[in-house]
Amino acid sequence: KESGLELQREGLHSASRPPDQAMMQPMEQLAAQVKELQRSDPNAKEQWGAYTDLSGGGKRDPSKHTPEFLQGFLVHLQSGMRMQVDTTAEAFSVAEAVKAMQRKSASFKTAWRSFCMEFGGGTNDPSKHNLDFMVRFFDFLGQRATGGAPPMGMGMGMGMGMGM
C-alpha cells in the first residue's frame, strides 16, 4: 500500500504539473490574441487602451496581465459595448498639451481658437472637447504644415543675399 500511496502521490504531483503548464499556454495564447487584435483592429486597440487605463493600471502589454484580465477584455470586446475612450489619461494629457501650447505660442493659440470657432461651436477649452476633436485639430495642423505651404524657411526669401 505504501508503494501504491507513493504512486498516487506521484500521480497527483505529476498531474498538478501539466495544469500549471496548461495555464501558461492559454495565457500566452490570450496575450497573442489581444496583441493580434490590436494590430488588426483600430477599435480593439482603442478599447484595449481604455480597458487597461480603467482596470489594468495603464499597463498596455498583454503579457503583463492575468489570463482572467485578458479574458475579461475579450468578453468586453465581443459584447459590442464600447468604453468611453475620452475619459482616459490620454485625452487628459492631450488637453493639457493643448493648454500648454496655447500659453507658449500665440500662433498655436490663434490656430486653436480658429479651429474651435469653425468646428467646435466656439468652445476654446480643450477639456470640453473629446479626444477625437483634438486629434482632428492636430491632423489639421499637420496638413497645413505639409500640404499647402513650403516647409518653414523655404520659399520665403531665405537664402537670398547669403551667398547661396
Side-chain angles (χ1 to χ4, degrees):
K1 281 201 168 201
E2 274 184 71
S3 61
L5 187 57
E6 285 175 33
L7 287 175
Q8 268 187 330
R9 281 189 204 146
E10 276 184 44
L12 289 174
H13 184 66
S14 64
S16 68
R17 279 188 222 144
D20 291 341
Q21 291 172 350
M23 291 300 275
M24 295 287 259
Q25 189 61 22
M27 168 57 188
E28 291 167 5
Q29 288 174 349
L30 287 169
Q33 185 178 359
V34 170
K35 286 179 182 181
E36 179 56 34
L37 280 167
Q38 289 181 75
R39 282 190 288 270
S40 64
D41 181 353
N43 175 55
K45 184 175 185 171
E46 183 179 81
Q47 288 298 295
W48 173 252
Y51 190 81
T52 57
D53 286 344
L54 184 66
S55 306
K59 285 190 269 182
R60 301 292 168 97
D61 184 353
S63 65
K64 304 293 184 198
H65 293 284
T66 66
E68 295 79 16
F69 183 84
L70 298 174
Q71 191 62 48
F73 169 70
L74 293 171
V75 167
H76 158 73
L77 194 61
Q78 291 171 351
S79 76
M81 294 183 64
R82 293 183 40 84
M83 297 180 88
Q84 181 67 27
V85 175
D86 296 340
T87 60
T88 65
E90 183 179 23
F92 177 77
S93 295
V94 173
E96 289 302 307
V98 170
K99 288 177 183 180
M101 287 304 300
Q102 287 185 81
R103 289 189 295 271
K104 304 247 183 230
S105 168
S107 297
F108 185 94
K109 185 174 186 173
T110 300
W112 173 254
R113 285 179 177 239
S114 296
F115 190 83
C116 290
M117 187 60 80
E118 188 167 342
F119 303 107
T123 302
N124 293 325
D125 183 354
S127 65
K128 304 286 185 205
H129 292 287
N130 63 28
L131 182 60
D132 181 59
F133 180 84
M134 291 182 282
V135 168
R136 283 187 290 141
F137 170 69
F138 282 107
D139 189 46
F140 166 78
L141 287 181
Q143 288 174 2
R144 295 285 305 259
T146 60
M152 239 189 247
M154 303 295 290
M156 301 291 291
M158 296 296 285
M160 299 292 229
M162 299 180 78
M164 298 182 132

